C-alpha cells in the first residue's frame, strides 16, 4: 500500500505475492469451482469433516487454536476475507482507505446482519475490538496482541466512571463508517483484517460473554442454529446462514465437524465413506494415501510451521548453559531423515521460522546453520553446557496424542537421545484441550510441540504473535527488545521490501536466542470421499467448505 490513496477493492493483495497453490480437486481453481457449483444449483447435502473440541469459548478474540478457529471462521465474516490463493477480498467492508498507512477509513456494506437479526454496524467492530483490548478481559481475549498497534492500546481508558472503556484510535463516524488510527504507520495492517480477532460482535455478546461463547451469534456463511448442536467432545453441526450477504455463499446444506480422537479414526472413516473431507493424514498412511485416494488425495504446500518450545520455567535451559543446550538439541535432530523416511516427502526441513509459501521467505539467514544435523557439534555444545552446569533429569517433549504426533515426536527424541547420550522421551496428552490448558496456565514442565498455521499471508504473522514480548501466542514467554524493535520497524516500513528485510533481521535474533526449535514446514495432506466435488484447500491448509458439494 504505497500509493497516495490506497483502497481495498474487490480483489487485492497487500505487501505479499499471490500464492500459487494448485487446487487438488476436480473443480479447478477457486473461482471456477464456486461459479460452476452456483450455476448448477447448490447441493442440499451436509458436508462432514474432521476437527477437534475447541480449547476456548467460541468468541473470535478468544480463539487462537485450530479446533476453534475452523468453527469461528465458518460462522463469522470480517471486513475482508482471503481466497484459496491468499488474495484479499472485501467482505463486510465496502472500502478501506488511507492516505498515510496510519489512519484508515472503513466503510461498511449496508444490510449485513447477524444471525439474531440485528444489523452489522460500525460500532459492532469497534466495540468488539475494544472488548478484546480491555485488560479486564485478558484471561479470555487471547488475541489481544493484534490490537496493540491501534493508538491508545497502551493507555486504554479505564478511568473510574468511564462507561465504555475504549482505544483512542477507534472512532465511529456513523452507522456504516469508522476510522482506525494506528500508533505508527503499518502498510501491512489491512492484510490482517481478515483474521478472526478483527471479526465483529453483536450487541447481545456484551450482555453475557460467557453464555455467548457456548452459543455464538455470527454473521458468516454458516451458523450454530442451537446450542444443542454443539455436542462437546463429540461434534458440532453448523447450518447454512440464509441471510449471509457475502460472496462465500454455501453450495451445500451445512457443515458437521466431528471431533476425532485420532487421525487414524478420521482416515478410516474417509475410506469407509463415513466422512466427506479430512485435512490430516496419519503418519502411517503417508506412503499409501495417494494410491488409496487417487485424484481425491491432497498433498500441497501450505503456510504451516512446526517447532517445539522449552518452557521458561525450566532452569536447565536458562543462561549461557541453557543457550548451549538449545543449540545442541537443534543440531542433534536429523530433520532430513525424519521428513524423508517418516513423512514420505509431506514435510520439508525448516530453514527459518516462517514458511516457503510466504513472500520474503529465505533459506540463507544468518544463524540458520543451527538447523543442520551435526551430531559432533551437538555433543560438543552439550559438553560445554555440562561444564558450566551438569545436566540432570530427562528431556521430555509433550504433545497431544489426538493430533497424530506420536511417531515424529518419538523420532525426534530418539535422535536427541542417540546423539547426546541423555534420557529423552515423548510425553503424550490425551487431548489437545488438555495439552493447551497446561501450556496456557504455564503448568507444563516439559518441552512441548508448537506450530503455527498462518492467520494472514505475511512473514510478520509467523513472528510477532509467537515471539513478541507478551504476545498472545508467546507460549515460551520469550522477550527481546532487539527482536521487538525489528518487528515494529518492519510493520512501520513504507514498502514491502523494507518490511521483509526487517522481519528477516528479526529472525536472525531468534536464531541467536532459539526461543523455539524449528523443525519443518508442513504440506497439507488430506482427501475427500467419492461423490464429493469442488474441494479446494486454501493457502493455509483449510478446505474452502462453502464451495464443497456432494450428491444429496
Amino acid at each position: 500500500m504505497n500509493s497516495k490513496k490506497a483502497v481495498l477493492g474487490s480483489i487485492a493483495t497487500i505487501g505479499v505475492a499471490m500464492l500459487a497453490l494448485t487446487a487438488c480437486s476436480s473443480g479447478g481453481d477457486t473461482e471456477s469451482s464456486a461459479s460452476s457449483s452456483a450455476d448448477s444449483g447448490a447441493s442440499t447435502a451436509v458436508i462432514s469433516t474432521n476437527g477437534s473440541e475447541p480449547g476456548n469459548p467460541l468468541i473470535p478474540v478468544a480463539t487462537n487454536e485450530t479446533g476453534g478457529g475452523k468453527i469461528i471462521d465458518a460462522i463469522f465474516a470480517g471486513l475482508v476475507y482471503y481466497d484459496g490463493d491468499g488474495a484479499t477480498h472485501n467482505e463486510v467492508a465496502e472500502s478501506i482507505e488511507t492516505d498515510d498507512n496510519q489512519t484508515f477509513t472503513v466503510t461498511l456494506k449496508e444490510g449485513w446482519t447477524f444471525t439474531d437479526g440485528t444489523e452489522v454496524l460500525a460500532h459492532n467492530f469497534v466495540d468488539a475490538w475494544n472488548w478484546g483490548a480491555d485488560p479486564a478481559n485478558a484471561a479470555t481475549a487471547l488475541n489481544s496482541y493484534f490490537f496493540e498497534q491501534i493508538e491508545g492500546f497502551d493507555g486504554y481508558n479505564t478511568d473510574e466512571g468511564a462507561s465504555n472503556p475504549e482505544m483512542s484510535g477507534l472512532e465511529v463516524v456513523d452507522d456504516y463508517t469508522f476510522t482506525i488510527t494506528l500508533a505508527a504507520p503499518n502498510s501491512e495492517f489491512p492484510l490482517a483484517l481478515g483474521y478472526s480477532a478483527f471479526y465483529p460482535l453483536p450487541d447481545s455478546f456484551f450482555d453475557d460473554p460467557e453464555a455467548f461463547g457456548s452459543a455464538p451469534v455470527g454473521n458468516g456463511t454458516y451458523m450454530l442454529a442451537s446450542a444443542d448442536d454443539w455436542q462437546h467432545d463429540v461434534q458440532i453441526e453448523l447450518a447454512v446462514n440464509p441471510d449471509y450477504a457475502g460472496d462465500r455463499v454455501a453450495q451445500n446444506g451445512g457443515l458437521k465437524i466431528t471431533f476425532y480422537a485420532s487421525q487414524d479414526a478420521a482416515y478410516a472413516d474417509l475410506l469407509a465413506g463415513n466422512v466427506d473431507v479430512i485435512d490430516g493424514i496419519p503418519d502411517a498412511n503417508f506412503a499409501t494415501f495417494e494410491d488409496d485416494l487417487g485424484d481425491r488425495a491432497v498433498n500441497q504446500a501450505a503456510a504451516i510451521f512446526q517447532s517445539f518450545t522449552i518452557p521458561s520455567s525450566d532452569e536447565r535451559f536458562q543462561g549461557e548453559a541453557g543457550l548451549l543446550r538449545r543449540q545442541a538439541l537443534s543440531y542433534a535432530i536429523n530433520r532430513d531423515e525424519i521428513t524423508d523416511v517418516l513423512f514420505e516427502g509431506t514435510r520439508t526441513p525448516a530453514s527459518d521460522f516462517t514458511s516457503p509459501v510466504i513472500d520474503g521467505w529465505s533459506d540463507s539467514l544468518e544463524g540458520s546453520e543451527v538447523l543442520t544435523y551435526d551430531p559432533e557439534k551437538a555433543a560438543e555444545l552439550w559438553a560445554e553446557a555440562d561444564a558450566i552446569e551438569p545436566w540432570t533429569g530427562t528431556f521430555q517433549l509433550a504433545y497431544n496424542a489426538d493430533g497424530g504426533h506420536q511417531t515424529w515426536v518419538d523420532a525426534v527424541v530418539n535422535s536427541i537421545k542417540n546423539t547426546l547420550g541423555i534420557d529423552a522421551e515423548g510425553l503424550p496428552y490425551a487431548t489437545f484441550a488438555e495439552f493447551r490448558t497446561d501450556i496456557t496456565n504455564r503448568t507444563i514442565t516439559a518441552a512441548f510441540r508448537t506450530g503455527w498455521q498462518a492467520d494472514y499471508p505475511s512473514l510478520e504473522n509467523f513472528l510477532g504473535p509467537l515471539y513478541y514480548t507478551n504476545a498472545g501466542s508467546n507460549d515460551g514467554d520469550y522477550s527481546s527488545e532487539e527482536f521487538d524493535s525489528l518487528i515494529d520497524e518492519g510493520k512501520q516500513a513504507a514498502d514491502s521490501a523494507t518490511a521483509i528485510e526487517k522481519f528477516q533481521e528479526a529472525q536472525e535474533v531468534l536464531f541467536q536466542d532459539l526461543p523455539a526449535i524449528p523443525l519443518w514446514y508442513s504440506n497439507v495432506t488430506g482427501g475427500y470421499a467419492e461423490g464429493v466435488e469442488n474441494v479446494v484447500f486454501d493457502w493455509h491448509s483449510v478446505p474452502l467448505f462453502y464451495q464443497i458439494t456432494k450428491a444429496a
Side-chain angles (χ1 to χ4, degrees):
M1 294 187 64
N2 304 318
S3 60
K4 179 65 175 174
K5 172 73 80 171
V7 180
L8 280 182
S10 60
I11 302 177
T13 55
I14 306 170
V16 295
M18 288 284 288
L19 306 178
L21 303 185
T22 302
C24 296
S25 77
S26 59
D29 63 31
T30 57
E31 296 305 315
S32 63
S33 295
S35 298
S36 62
S37 180
D39 292 342
S40 61
S43 166
T44 59
V46 172
I47 301 301
S48 58
T49 189
N50 64 308
S52 57
E53 174 72 16
N56 301 291
L58 288 178
I59 301 168
V61 75
T63 299
N64 64 352
E65 38 81 23
T66 55
K70 182 179 289 186
I71 300 168
I72 289 288
D73 287 341
I75 63 179
F76 283 89
L79 295 173
V80 303
Y81 73 91
Y82 312 114
D83 69 15
D85 295 323
T88 306
H89 301 243
N90 282 351
E91 191 160 34
V92 182
E94 183 68 43
S95 65
I96 303 173
E97 302 176 338
T98 185
D99 291 324
D100 57 6
N101 288 326
Q102 184 166 7
T103 297
F104 299 84
T105 299
V106 179
T107 303
L108 305 182
K109 296 173 183 174
E110 298 185 23
W112 200 296
T113 60
F114 292 104
T115 55
D116 62 2
T118 60
E119 192 171 4
V120 180
L121 301 174
H123 78 267
N124 295 114
F125 286 94
V126 170
D127 292 349
W129 301 1
N130 277 323
W131 188 91
D134 189 340
N137 303 318
T140 300
L142 302 179
N143 283 327
S144 62
Y145 162 83
F146 290 92
F147 306 122
E148 288 187 0
Q149 56 200 309
I150 298 175
E151 183 182 85
F153 179 89
D154 292 335
Y156 197 87
N157 178 13
T158 55
D159 294 339
E160 186 175 352
S163 60
N164 184 28
E166 59 187 20
M167 291 179 280
S168 58
L170 298 178
E171 182 180 353
V172 174
V173 177
D174 57 40
D175 281 350
Y176 304 105
T177 311
F178 68 99
T179 60
I180 310 164
T181 301
L182 306 182
N186 183 352
S187 60
E188 292 204 337
F189 177 73
L191 186 64
L193 292 175
Y195 178 52
S196 57
F198 295 101
Y199 290 161
L201 288 168
D203 294 343
S204 60
F205 163 81
F206 302 95
D207 297 332
D208 192 341
E210 183 176 355
F212 184 95
S214 298
V217 173
N219 63 321
T221 303
Y222 297 97
M223 58 185 285
L224 185 66
S226 165
D228 294 336
D229 291 334
W230 183 1
Q231 300 175 49
H232 291 276
D233 297 312
V234 178
Q235 66 180 29
I236 190 168
E237 295 181 85
L238 303 177
V240 172
N241 176 6
D243 298 319
Y244 171 73
D247 298 330
R248 298 182 293 166
V249 177
Q251 303 299 299
N252 48 62
L255 185 61
K256 182 176 80 170
I257 303 173
T258 299
F259 306 144
Y260 284 98
S262 70
Q263 288 183 322
D264 299 275
Y267 187 63
D269 266 1
L270 179 67
L271 294 178
N274 296 326
V275 65
D276 297 319
V277 182
I278 65 172
D279 58 6
I281 299 295
D283 296 353
N285 298 100
F286 281 150
T288 61
F289 83 101
E290 291 178 300
D291 289 334
D292 293 342
L293 299 175
D295 61 4
R296 294 180 288 110
V298 176
N299 182 11
Q300 68 186 46
I304 306 174
F305 167 81
Q306 185 74 55
S307 60
F308 68 81
T309 298
I310 298 168
S312 59
S313 60
D314 193 335
E315 296 182 355
R316 300 173 301 176
F317 289 94
Q318 296 177 2
E320 182 182 358
L323 178 57
L324 291 168
R325 288 199 172 103
R326 290 169 187 266
Q327 295 170 343
L329 288 176
S330 187
Y331 278 117
I333 301 168
N334 194 335
R335 295 168 179 79
D336 287 327
E337 182 177 86
I338 293 172
T339 54
D340 286 345
V341 176
L342 185 63
F343 287 120
E344 297 281 345
T346 63
R347 306 289 189 274
T348 303
S351 56
D352 80 333
F353 288 80
T354 66
S355 166
V357 305
I358 301 297
D359 189 38
W361 171 82
S362 173
D363 60 358
S364 56
L365 297 175
E366 183 177 343
S368 61
E369 64 275 4
V370 75
L371 303 182
T372 59
Y373 177 54
D374 189 336
E376 293 182 359
K377 181 73 170 177
E380 177 185 330
L381 291 167
W382 197 264
E384 288 183 35
D386 270 350
I388 299 172
E389 183 178 340
W391 170 259
T392 60
T394 299
F395 176 78
Q396 292 183 308
L397 179 53
Y399 63 96
N400 54 303
D402 60 351
H405 301 291
Q406 178 180 351
T407 305
W408 74 257
V409 168
D410 288 345
V412 167
V413 296
N414 284 336
S415 189
I416 291 171
K417 178 194 301 184
N418 295 335
T419 301
L420 301 178
I422 63 172
D423 290 331
E425 63 186 17
L427 178 63
Y429 280 71
T431 66
F432 181 74
E434 294 171 0
F435 177 63
R436 282 302 311 175
T437 296
D438 271 6
I439 293 172
T440 301
N441 294 338
R442 301 302 192 260
T443 53
I444 195 163
T445 57
F448 50 92
R449 176 191 77 81
T450 42
W452 193 251
Q453 180 186 51
D455 304 312
Y456 50 92
S458 165
L459 291 179
E460 186 276 330
N461 184 239
F462 284 86
L463 304 174
L466 279 75
Y467 310 115
Y468 198 95
T469 301
N470 296 324
S473 296
N474 186 349
D475 293 327
D477 297 320
Y478 174 67
S479 181
S480 164
E481 290 184 7
E482 183 180 6
F483 174 84
D484 291 354
S485 178
L486 288 166
I487 292 296
D488 290 339
E489 289 177 33
K491 291 196 295 188
Q492 295 168 24
D495 59 85
S496 60
T498 303
I500 287 170
E501 180 182 347
K502 294 300 179 182
F503 297 147
Q504 289 178 343
E505 290 178 18
Q507 289 195 76
E508 291 176 352
V509 175
L510 297 181
F511 277 122
Q512 294 172 18
D513 298 340
L514 288 178
I517 309 298
L519 293 173
W520 41 74
Y521 315 115
S522 298
N523 280 11
V524 55
T525 56
Y528 50 99
E530 293 181 356
V532 178
E533 298 181 343
N534 301 313
V535 179
V536 173
F537 281 66
D538 72 9
W539 62 280
H540 71 332
S541 83
V542 179
L544 300 180
F545 292 112
Y546 68 94
Q547 295 186 177
I548 300 174
T549 62
K550 71 172 182 178

